[in-house]
Amino acid sequence: MNFVDALLTAAFLFFIGSTLGWCIEVVFRRLFTAKKWINPGFLTGPYLPLYGFGTVGLFTISLIPIDTGMYWLDSIIIILIMGNAMTLIEYIAGLIFIKGLKIKLWDYSNRFANIQGIICPLFSALWMLVGAFFYFVISPYCIEAVVWFVNHIAFAFFVGLFFGVFLIDFGHSINITAKITSFAKKHNIIVSFEKLKENIKDKKERAGKKANFVFPFNSSEPLTTELDDYKKDGKQEDNP
């Protein structure tokens, strides 16, 4: 695979992974955590970069030539590598947001044996299951899908369109993130994106207004006012 094909493959997998990952997170938060329809992540659109990078990582790991002479052992090794790689990606992303931006996108603080509320054994096990599903169910067809994509370059237009919208969204979201980070550093706190979105949504619903799922930070009040209310409600975390 030459450089151009590798780049197209990575772009295709990132597009698929980040979009499907967003769908999974929306349903997961609705059923198990927030119990509400919350737009997850720090971006506005239907994509989560963490899952995009994870999908690229899973595909790359699936290509590692491991041959112990026992298929079952080869599979276990690959799945262990996948699970640990996904946990590492999750940990690095969590550290960047918490330590650098003073923002928490997810919180495992109440989970058993968690590390800094960023990773925990339960979700590491779930990443193992995701890795196993990818390896046994998706991976056998993944190469064919990638080959089809590379040979149908016209489809790259849609992937390119995705990245165009993604970059615009990224710029918009960075502006919002910068304001939240500035507030968090000023007050020496960590802001939970999910709880802040819930707070804005609850305020709107109490006022008889409809909350905006796509643009959860849209409000008739300035973001600084929403952040002040969030802090007054005691939903922030002290900066360790």
Side-chain angles (χ1 to χ4, degrees), residues 53-182:
F53 288 117
T55 303
V56 174
L58 291 177
F59 176 72
T60 303
I61 293 169
S62 70
L63 300 178
I64 296 176
I66 295 179
D67 185 9
T68 63
M70 294 177 284
Y71 175 75
W72 64 270
L73 182 57
D74 296 343
S75 301
I76 289 175
I77 293 173
I78 288 291
I79 291 169
L80 286 173
I81 295 174
M82 286 179 169
N84 282 286
M86 291 297 292
T87 298
L88 180 62
I89 291 173
E90 186 177 40
Y91 184 68
I92 292 173
L95 277 182
I96 290 173
F97 275 91
I98 293 175
K99 298 298 183 182
L101 302 176
K102 308 304 176 186
I103 290 172
K104 182 171 284 189
L105 295 181
W106 63 86
D107 188 6
Y108 300 153
S109 297
N110 296 325
R111 302 289 181 180
F112 171 75
N114 73 87
I115 299 177
Q116 298 171 274
I118 303 174
I119 57 175
C120 67
L122 173 61
F123 279 83
S124 292
L126 289 176
W127 287 130
M128 294 282 184
L129 292 176
V130 169
F133 180 80
F134 183 91
Y135 184 68
F136 291 114
V137 180
I138 299 177
S139 182
Y141 306 99
C142 203
I143 295 292
E144 293 179 12
V146 167
V147 170
W148 179 91
F149 172 70
V150 171
N151 291 330
H152 292 75
I153 199 66
F155 187 70
F157 168 78
F158 295 100
V159 178
L161 182 64
F162 162 81
F163 277 99
V165 174
F166 178 86
L167 290 175
I168 294 172
D169 188 346
F170 186 80
H172 167 73
S173 299
I174 282 295
N175 182 45
I176 294 174
T177 300
K179 293 178 181 178
I180 296 174
T181 298
S182 177

Side-chain angles (χ1 to χ4, degrees), residues 12-22 48 50-53 55:
F12 173 69
L13 292 172
F14 183 89
F15 160 63
I16 297 296
S18 58
T19 303
L20 290 179
W22 180 87
L48 290 176
L50 175 65
Y51 283 85
F53 288 117
T55 303

Side-chain angles (χ1 to χ4, degrees), residues 195-233:
K195 290 179 181 178
L196 177 58
K197 290 176 182 178
E198 287 179 14
N199 212 52
I200 295 173
K201 181 177 181 177
D202 290 343
K203 279 181 61 179
K204 284 186 175 181
E205 291 177 347
R206 286 197 300 268
K209 299 178 181 178
K210 186 176 181 180
N212 194 318
F213 175 80
V214 179
F215 299 100
F217 293 117
N218 274 10
S219 173
S220 57
E221 298 178 341
L223 182 58
T224 51
T225 301
E226 296 292 358
L227 285 164
D228 281 329
D229 290 342
Y230 164 85
K231 186 173 182 296
K232 289 175 183 176
D233 287 344

